[in-house]
Amino acid sequence: VQLVESGGGSVQVGASLRLSCEISEFTGSSYCIGWFRQTPGKEREAVAAVYTRDGTTDYADSVKGRFTISLENANAKKTVYLQMDSLRPEDIAMYYCAADLYCLGTSLLLTVQEYTEWGQGTQVTVS
């Protein structure tokens, strides 16, 4: 599986950004995919994730009500989006898309260690 993120950038406080993660070389229909972020010197943290089998989503408390994760399957192309609204300086980070290809449910959606496939990341800056 390959994961390629895009959509990062530098925005002002209160603005919005939409991150995209294109998923390729994978034909499974039931897996977990999420967005994570990391700043220098800190551990990677989960932001949002979705279980594709039933569409269940979960969010970190810090982004609930501001971020929305969604999955699109169109023309055999899978893309997961992270819509980020009302951005704050504390949202500054490198954002990564990741997949857990063997997830069996939603209990570990936001557990970083469960995700084994990672993209290269896209930087988000808020000022």
Side-chain angles (χ1 to χ4, degrees), residues 3-125:
L3 306 169
V4 180
E5 302 98 331
S6 61
S10 183
V11 298
Q12 293 186 332
V13 171
S16 298
L17 273 177
R18 190 177 78 158
L19 305 183
S20 301
C21 174
E22 186 174 326
I23 307 160
S24 60
E25 300 184 11
F26 180 65
T27 58
S29 60
S30 179
Y31 54 97
C32 293
I33 190 149
W35 286 96
F36 303 78
R37 64 187 183 187
Q38 188 171 23
T39 54
K42 291 190 176 181
E43 292 188 355
R44 194 167 294 188
E45 63 174 3
V47 175
V50 57
Y51 181 42
T52 63
R53 181 168 183 154
D54 61 10
T56 299
T57 59
D58 201 1
Y59 296 88
D61 288 342
S62 58
V63 306
K64 281 180 181 176
R66 300 189 298 123
F67 291 11
T68 304
I69 189 170
S70 60
L71 182 65
E72 179 183 83
N73 282 296
N75 300 320
K77 182 178 172 181
K78 299 181 180 71
T79 307
V80 61
Y81 299 101
L82 184 68
Q83 177 67 41
M84 304 188 296
D85 299 322
S86 302
L87 282 162
R88 305 168 179 170
E90 52 263 42
D91 296 318
I92 295 173
M94 183 71 79
Y95 283 71
Y96 298 90
C97 174
D100 173 4
L101 305 180
Y102 305 102
C103 75
L104 300 177
T106 59
S107 61
L108 299 175
L109 264 178
L110 297 182
T111 302
V112 176
Q113 293 82 358
E114 293 296 309
Y115 291 79
T116 57
E117 310 295 331
W118 292 84
Q120 82 289 349
T122 186
Q123 179 68 39
V124 171
T125 302

